[in-house]
Amino acid sequence: LTRLGTIAVSGTVLDSTVQSVSVNGVGATVAPQGAGQFAFSASVPLAEGDVALVVTATDSAGQVGTAQVTVTRDSTSPLLEVTAPERLTQRVSGTAAIAASDNLALQQIAVSINGTAAGTFTTSPVQVPLPLPSGAVIGDTVTVTVTATDTAGNTATATRTVLVTGDGAVLGQVL
């Protein structure tokens, strides 16, 4: 599994008369290793999804040998949605709701609040409490940052800002 657009393919051919090696039609560099062994390497472009890498070696008699392996390229970032209340007060804390998904598989969801780690999770959805930071005053903000990473290493980041407000008070006569 890779997110890169090319992959380095290398291996060994056991034939003392090898003439050429290619991987998916890309010519490989071939170097003798002694005792009828040749090392090869090639940089091969990858399309999105499952890609069959076929190594073809040809010797001086025209005999052809092949080997194949399948590699998956995933360059698609996870999808990420973060919802949080618009404000927090002394009496009313909040919760951030996080939903993440991926076309193959999520590896982790990392959450921070005002730059401090609040948790790392491996499944979605996630609920993270948003307490009012100590010393927070009206007008301050609380920043929730979430980064989702998939198994290929692709990431998506979302940030939500929550305003610290007063609890409010009723003034005057209530009838």
Side-chain angles (χ1 to χ4, degrees), residues 1-52:
L1 179 62
T2 183
R3 63 186 171 115
L4 303 176
T6 60
I7 190 167
V9 179
S10 61
T12 304
V13 175
L14 301 174
D15 186 331
S16 60
T17 65
V18 69
Q19 294 294 307
S20 66
V21 177
S22 66
V23 182
N24 287 13
V26 175
T29 302
V30 180
Q33 299 294 301
Q37 294 185 18
F38 291 82
F40 70 89
S41 63
S43 181
V44 181
L46 292 176
E48 192 73 15
D50 291 339
V51 178

Coordinates of all heavy atoms in Angstrom, one line a residue, residues 1-52:
L1 N 0.9 -1.2 0.0 CA 0.0 0.0 0.0 C 0.9 1.2 0.0 O 1.8 1.3 0.8 CB -0.9 0.0 1.2 CG -1.9 1.2 1.4 CD1 -2.8 1.2 0.2 CD2 -2.6 1.0 2.7
T2 N 0.6 2.1 -0.9 CA 1.4 3.4 -1.0 C 0.5 4.5 -1.5 O -0.5 4.2 -2.1 CB 2.6 3.2 -2.0 OG1 3.4 4.4 -2.0 CG2 2.2 2.9 -3.4
R3 N 0.9 5.7 -1.2 CA 0.2 6.9 -1.7 C 1.0 7.6 -2.8 O 0.5 8.5 -3.4 CB -0.1 7.8 -0.6 CG 1.1 8.4 0.1 CD 0.6 9.3 1.3 NE 1.8 9.7 2.0 CZ 2.2 10.9 2.2 NH1 1.5 11.9 1.6 NH2 3.3 11.2 2.9
L4 N 2.2 7.1 -3.1 CA 3.1 7.7 -4.1 C 2.7 7.3 -5.5 O 2.1 6.2 -5.7 CB 4.5 7.3 -3.8 CG 5.0 7.6 -2.4 CD1 6.4 7.1 -2.2 CD2 4.9 9.1 -2.1
G5 N 3.1 8.2 -6.4 CA 2.7 7.9 -7.9 C 3.7 7.0 -8.6 O 3.5 6.6 -9.7
T6 N 4.9 6.7 -7.9 CA 5.8 5.8 -8.5 C 6.3 4.9 -7.4 O 6.2 5.2 -6.2 CB 7.1 6.5 -9.1 OG1 7.7 7.3 -8.1 CG2 6.7 7.4 -10.2
I7 N 6.8 3.7 -7.8 CA 7.4 2.8 -6.8 C 8.7 2.2 -7.3 O 8.9 2.0 -8.5 CB 6.3 1.6 -6.5 CG1 6.8 0.8 -5.3 CG2 6.1 0.8 -7.8 CD1 5.7 -0.1 -4.8
A8 N 9.6 2.1 -6.4 CA 10.9 1.4 -6.7 C 10.8 -0.1 -6.6 O 10.4 -0.6 -5.6 CB 12.0 2.0 -5.8
V9 N 11.1 -0.8 -7.7 CA 11.0 -2.2 -7.7 C 12.4 -2.7 -7.9 O 13.1 -2.3 -8.8 CB 10.1 -2.7 -8.9 CG1 10.0 -4.2 -8.9 CG2 8.7 -2.1 -8.8
S10 N 12.8 -3.7 -7.1 CA 14.1 -4.3 -7.2 C 14.0 -5.8 -6.9 O 13.1 -6.2 -6.2 CB 15.1 -3.6 -6.3 OG 14.7 -3.8 -4.9
G11 N 15.0 -6.5 -7.4 CA 15.0 -7.9 -7.1 C 16.3 -8.6 -7.7 O 17.2 -7.9 -8.1
T12 N 16.2 -9.9 -7.9 CA 17.4 -10.6 -8.4 C 16.9 -11.6 -9.4 O 15.9 -12.3 -9.3 CB 18.1 -11.4 -7.2 OG1 18.4 -10.5 -6.2 CG2 19.3 -12.2 -7.7
V13 N 17.7 -11.7 -10.5 CA 17.4 -12.7 -11.6 C 18.5 -13.7 -11.5 O 19.7 -13.4 -11.4 CB 17.4 -12.0 -13.0 CG1 17.3 -13.1 -14.1 CG2 16.3 -11.0 -13.1
L14 N 18.1 -15.0 -11.5 CA 19.0 -16.1 -11.4 C 19.2 -16.7 -12.8 O 18.5 -17.7 -13.2 CB 18.6 -17.2 -10.4 CG 18.4 -16.7 -9.0 CD1 17.8 -17.8 -8.1 CD2 19.7 -16.2 -8.4
D15 N 20.0 -16.1 -13.7 CA 20.3 -16.6 -15.0 C 21.6 -16.0 -15.5 O 21.6 -14.7 -15.6 CB 19.1 -16.2 -16.0 CG 19.2 -16.8 -17.4 OD1 20.4 -17.1 -17.8 OD2 18.2 -17.1 -18.0
S16 N 22.5 -16.8 -15.8 CA 23.9 -16.2 -16.1 C 23.9 -15.5 -17.4 O 24.9 -14.8 -17.8 CB 24.9 -17.3 -16.1 OG 24.6 -18.3 -17.0
T17 N 22.8 -15.6 -18.3 CA 22.8 -15.0 -19.6 C 21.7 -14.0 -19.7 O 21.3 -13.7 -20.8 CB 22.7 -16.0 -20.7 OG1 21.4 -16.7 -20.6 CG2 23.8 -17.1 -20.6
V18 N 21.3 -13.4 -18.6 CA 20.2 -12.4 -18.7 C 20.6 -11.3 -19.6 O 21.7 -10.8 -19.6 CB 19.8 -11.9 -17.3 CG1 20.9 -11.0 -16.6 CG2 18.5 -11.1 -17.3
Q19 N 19.7 -10.9 -20.4 CA 19.9 -9.8 -21.4 C 19.2 -8.5 -21.0 O 19.7 -7.4 -21.2 CB 19.5 -10.2 -22.8 CG 20.3 -11.3 -23.4 CD 21.8 -10.8 -23.6 OE1 22.0 -9.8 -24.3 NE2 22.7 -11.5 -23.1
S20 N 17.9 -8.7 -20.5 CA 17.1 -7.5 -20.1 C 16.1 -7.9 -19.1 O 15.7 -9.0 -19.0 CB 16.4 -6.9 -21.4 OG 15.5 -7.8 -21.8
V21 N 15.7 -6.8 -18.3 CA 14.7 -7.0 -17.3 C 13.8 -5.7 -17.5 O 14.3 -4.6 -17.6 CB 15.2 -7.1 -15.9 CG1 14.1 -7.1 -14.9 CG2 16.1 -8.3 -15.8
S22 N 12.5 -5.9 -17.4 CA 11.6 -4.8 -17.4 C 10.5 -5.0 -16.4 O 10.2 -6.1 -16.0 CB 11.0 -4.6 -18.8 OG 10.1 -5.6 -19.1
V23 N 9.9 -3.9 -15.9 CA 8.8 -4.0 -15.0 C 7.7 -3.1 -15.6 O 7.8 -1.9 -15.8 CB 9.2 -3.4 -13.6 CG1 8.0 -3.5 -12.6 CG2 10.4 -4.1 -13.0
N24 N 6.6 -3.8 -15.9 CA 5.4 -3.1 -16.6 C 5.9 -2.3 -17.8 O 5.4 -1.2 -18.1 CB 4.7 -2.3 -15.6 CG 3.9 -3.1 -14.6 OD1 4.0 -4.3 -14.5 ND2 3.0 -2.4 -13.9
G25 N 6.9 -2.9 -18.5 CA 7.4 -2.2 -19.7 C 8.4 -1.2 -19.5 O 9.0 -0.7 -20.5
V26 N 8.8 -0.9 -18.3 CA 9.8 0.1 -17.9 C 11.1 -0.7 -17.8 O 11.2 -1.6 -17.0 CB 9.5 0.8 -16.6 CG1 10.7 1.7 -16.2 CG2 8.3 1.6 -16.8
G27 N 12.1 -0.3 -18.6 CA 13.4 -1.0 -18.6 C 14.1 -0.8 -17.2 O 14.1 0.3 -16.6
A28 N 14.6 -1.9 -16.7 CA 15.3 -1.9 -15.4 C 16.8 -1.9 -15.6 O 17.4 -2.3 -16.6 CB 14.9 -3.2 -14.6
T29 N 17.5 -1.3 -14.6 CA 18.9 -1.3 -14.5 C 19.3 -2.7 -14.0 O 18.7 -3.2 -13.0 CB 19.4 -0.2 -13.5 OG1 18.9 1.1 -14.0 CG2 20.9 -0.2 -13.5
V30 N 20.3 -3.3 -14.7 CA 20.7 -4.7 -14.3 C 22.2 -4.6 -14.0 O 23.0 -4.1 -14.8 CB 20.4 -5.7 -15.5 CG1 20.8 -7.1 -15.1 CG2 18.9 -5.6 -15.9
A31 N 22.6 -5.3 -12.9 CA 24.0 -5.3 -12.5 C 24.3 -6.7 -12.0 O 23.6 -7.3 -11.3 CB 24.2 -4.3 -11.4
P32 N 25.5 -7.2 -12.5 CA 25.9 -8.6 -12.1 C 26.2 -8.6 -10.6 O 26.8 -7.7 -10.0 CB 27.1 -8.9 -12.9 CG 27.6 -7.5 -13.4 CD 26.5 -6.6 -13.4
Q33 N 25.8 -9.7 -10.0 CA 26.1 -9.9 -8.5 C 27.0 -11.1 -8.3 O 27.3 -11.4 -7.2 CB 24.8 -10.1 -7.8 CG 23.8 -9.0 -7.9 CD 24.4 -7.7 -7.2 OE1 24.7 -7.8 -6.0 NE2 24.6 -6.7 -7.9
G34 N 27.4 -11.8 -9.4 CA 28.3 -13.0 -9.3 C 27.4 -14.3 -9.3 O 26.3 -14.3 -8.9
A35 N 28.1 -15.4 -9.7 CA 27.5 -16.7 -9.7 C 26.2 -16.8 -10.4 O 25.2 -17.4 -9.9 CB 27.4 -17.2 -8.2
G36 N 26.0 -16.1 -11.5 CA 24.8 -16.2 -12.3 C 23.7 -15.4 -11.8 O 22.5 -15.5 -12.2
Q37 N 23.9 -14.5 -10.9 CA 22.9 -13.6 -10.3 C 23.0 -12.2 -10.8 O 24.1 -11.7 -10.9 CB 22.9 -13.6 -8.8 CG 22.6 -15.0 -8.2 CD 22.6 -14.8 -6.6 OE1 22.4 -13.8 -6.1 NE2 22.7 -16.0 -6.0
F38 N 21.9 -11.6 -11.1 CA 21.9 -10.2 -11.5 C 20.8 -9.4 -10.7 O 19.7 -9.9 -10.6 CB 21.5 -10.1 -13.0 CG 22.6 -10.6 -13.9 CD1 22.7 -11.9 -14.2 CD2 23.5 -9.7 -14.5 CE1 23.7 -12.4 -15.0 CE2 24.5 -10.1 -15.3 CZ 24.6 -11.5 -15.6
A39 N 21.2 -8.3 -10.2 CA 20.3 -7.5 -9.4 C 19.6 -6.5 -10.4 O 20.3 -6.0 -11.4 CB 21.0 -6.7 -8.3
F40 N 18.4 -6.2 -10.2 CA 17.7 -5.2 -11.1 C 16.9 -4.2 -10.3 O 16.6 -4.5 -9.1 CB 16.8 -5.9 -12.1 CG 15.5 -6.5 -11.5 CD1 14.4 -5.8 -11.3 CD2 15.5 -7.8 -11.1 CE1 13.2 -6.3 -10.7 CE2 14.4 -8.4 -10.5 CZ 13.3 -7.6 -10.3
S41 N 16.7 -3.0 -10.8 CA 15.9 -2.0 -10.2 C 15.3 -1.1 -11.2 O 15.9 -0.9 -12.3 CB 16.7 -1.2 -9.2 OG 17.7 -0.5 -9.9
A42 N 14.1 -0.7 -10.9 CA 13.4 0.2 -11.9 C 12.4 1.1 -11.0 O 11.8 0.6 -10.0 CB 12.6 -0.6 -12.9
S43 N 12.1 2.3 -11.5 CA 11.1 3.1 -10.9 C 9.9 3.1 -11.8 O 10.0 3.5 -13.0 CB 11.7 4.6 -10.8 OG 10.7 5.4 -10.2
V44 N 8.8 2.7 -11.3 CA 7.6 2.4 -12.1 C 6.4 3.3 -11.7 O 6.1 3.4 -10.5 CB 7.2 0.9 -12.0 CG1 6.0 0.6 -12.8 CG2 8.4 0.0 -12.3
P45 N 5.8 3.9 -12.7 CA 4.6 4.7 -12.3 C 3.4 3.8 -11.9 O 3.3 2.7 -12.4 CB 4.3 5.5 -13.6 CG 4.9 4.7 -14.7 CD 6.1 4.0 -14.1
L46 N 2.6 4.4 -11.0 CA 1.5 3.6 -10.5 C 0.2 4.4 -10.7 O 0.1 5.6 -10.5 CB 1.6 3.4 -8.9 CG 2.7 2.5 -8.4 CD1 2.7 2.5 -6.9 CD2 2.4 1.1 -8.9
A47 N -0.8 3.7 -11.2 CA -2.2 4.3 -11.3 C -2.8 4.1 -10.0 O -2.4 3.3 -9.1 CB -2.9 3.5 -12.4
E48 N -3.9 4.8 -9.8 CA -4.7 4.6 -8.6 C -5.4 3.3 -8.5 O -5.8 2.7 -9.5 CB -5.8 5.7 -8.5 CG -6.5 5.9 -7.2 CD -5.7 6.6 -6.2 OE1 -4.6 7.2 -6.5 OE2 -6.1 6.5 -5.0
G49 N -5.4 2.7 -7.3 CA -6.0 1.4 -7.1 C -5.0 0.2 -7.1 O -3.8 0.4 -6.9
D50 N -5.5 -1.0 -7.4 CA -4.7 -2.1 -7.4 C -3.9 -2.2 -8.7 O -4.5 -2.1 -9.8 CB -5.5 -3.4 -7.3 CG -6.1 -3.6 -5.9 OD1 -5.6 -3.0 -4.9 OD2 -7.1 -4.3 -5.8
V51 N -2.6 -2.3 -8.6 CA -1.7 -2.3 -9.8 C -0.9 -3.6 -9.8 O -0.2 -3.9 -8.8 CB -0.8 -1.1 -9.9 CG1 0.1 -1.2 -11.1 CG2 -1.6 0.2 -9.8
A52 N -1.0 -4.4 -10.9 CA -0.2 -5.6 -11.0 C 1.2 -5.2 -11.5 O 1.3 -4.5 -12.6 CB -0.8 -6.6 -12.0

